[in-house]
Amino acid sequence: MIGRYGWTLALALPLLFTACKKEEQVEAPVPRPVRSVTVKPSDSGETVILTGHIDAQDSSAMAFRIGGRMLQRFVNVGDAVTPGQELARLDAQNELNALRAAQANRTAAAAQLTQARSAFERQRTLLSQGHTPRAQFELAEKALSTAQANVDANEVQVRIAADRVSYTILQADAAGTVTARGAEPGEVVQAGQMVVTIARKDGRDAVFDVPAQVLRSAPSDPRIAVRLTDDPSVTTTGRVREVAPQADPVTRTFAVRVGLTDPPAAMRLGATVNGTMRLEADQVISVPASALTEFNRQPAVWVVDPEKLTVSLRNIEMLSFDQAAVSVAHGLEPGDIVVTAGIQALHPGQTVRLLGPAG
């Protein structure tokens, strides 16, 4: 028979063997080899390249001062115009009738003025001879003043009617190019409704949609190099003329207008251009593009704890991106260790072995 100590030993031996077996199976994880770089600020200013288009420095929306049915439009999109050139015409019949009526009223008022003046002269002569009372003379004087006021009022009405006739003709106020049209012949247009838009010939702007990070990192008065996208040999320079006070609600970028210095003729309205600007040197941190991943639907990189050699994901704010490198505006500090190769198989807290940057 097995005694009390025998049963205890019999039960303990299997547990001991099981514990030894588990201890043999649990092995320390092997650190995953990864390549990495130590973050440091760029030695030179980062170059940012943005894509935009050529636009007129000033544009005018041409419209009639009065409403009416438009009979003709003499220009189309792309046409060059000169100062005073006729652009469109309204049906002027109503305005011409009003002018004729005003002229007729002026003629009638002039006749009344002549009659009142004759009556006044007659009463003044009779008064000097003592053949008419002063009250009769004063009535003639008052009638003359009233007749003169009617003539003046009708003269103003004639000028107003003549102006309205002239308003039925729309003329260009400066040289330029038609860039848009807003009404077609036969339409009834309202006063102030855009009929055509004219891009003035005086100057050209390059317009870019710029991220807020670039605006923060840009020099105070940057000089922008601008070149045609389809012909890089066509180049010019410019300076920032205007920055939109509010970001676009969709892209969250700011429209920046760069006034061009002596733009080449090849830089026509609407042409696609590239703008190059160098940012401040002490505000740029770059990492290889291979380090970029995504976390919480935002750009991120794997950062290595230098003491524990474990990795964690960290979101970053990008300044610019190309096939070789990513410029970081926020999220990394000098001295941070960033994984640049082997990021696909990593998970938070994983132990790694650093191999250094790729050769």
Side-chain angles (χ1 to χ4, degrees), residues 106-271:
R106 180 182 61 180
T107 302
Q112 292 177 357
L113 175 61
T114 301
Q115 183 178 2
R117 185 176 290 115
S118 298
F120 171 77
E121 293 296 335
R122 185 168 55 254
Q123 289 296 322
R124 184 169 62 176
T125 301
L126 292 174
L127 180 64
S128 65
Q129 297 175 352
H131 297 306
T132 187
R134 176 165 290 278
Q136 193 68 26
F137 169 77
E138 291 177 351
L139 288 175
E141 184 180 31
K142 184 176 181 180
L144 176 62
S145 299
T146 302
Q148 183 63 56
N150 287 336
V151 169
D152 294 340
N154 279 278
E155 187 65 38
V156 172
Q157 292 301 317
V158 169
R159 288 199 296 267
I160 292 175
D163 287 341
R164 287 184 65 85
V165 171
S166 69
Y167 294 160
T168 62
I169 299 174
L170 183 62
Q171 295 177 315
D173 61 350
T177 304
V178 178
T179 59
R181 65 176 187 268
E184 299 296 332
E187 291 186 24
V188 176
V189 298
Q190 302 299 320
Q193 178 182 341
M194 187 272 286
V195 176
V196 293
T197 299
I198 296 178
R200 296 179 183 269
K201 194 177 180 180
D202 301 336
R204 292 285 184 270
D205 283 347
V207 184
F208 302 98
D209 293 328
V210 182
Q213 310 94 292
V214 175
L215 289 180
R216 288 194 296 266
S217 303
S220 58
D221 186 20
R223 191 171 183 84
I224 313 298
V226 180
R227 65 185 68 244
L228 278 178
T229 302
D230 58 356
D231 187 2
S233 63
V234 180
T235 63
T236 186
T237 58
R239 294 189 181 278
V240 175
R241 192 174 66 83
E242 178 184 318
V243 178
Q246 184 174 356
D248 184 276
V250 178
T251 63
R252 310 309 302 172
T253 57
F254 294 82
V256 175
R257 302 183 73 91
V258 176
L260 301 181
T261 304
D262 297 327
M267 287 189 176
R268 298 181 177 87
L269 294 175

Side-chain angles (χ1 to χ4, degrees), residues 32-36 290-291 302 311 339-347 350 352:
R32 181 175 183 80
V34 295
R35 296 196 179 277
S36 63
S290 60
W302 288 98
V311 294
V339 178
T340 61
I343 64 174
Q344 294 80 4
L346 295 178
H347 57 80
Q350 184 175 1
V352 296

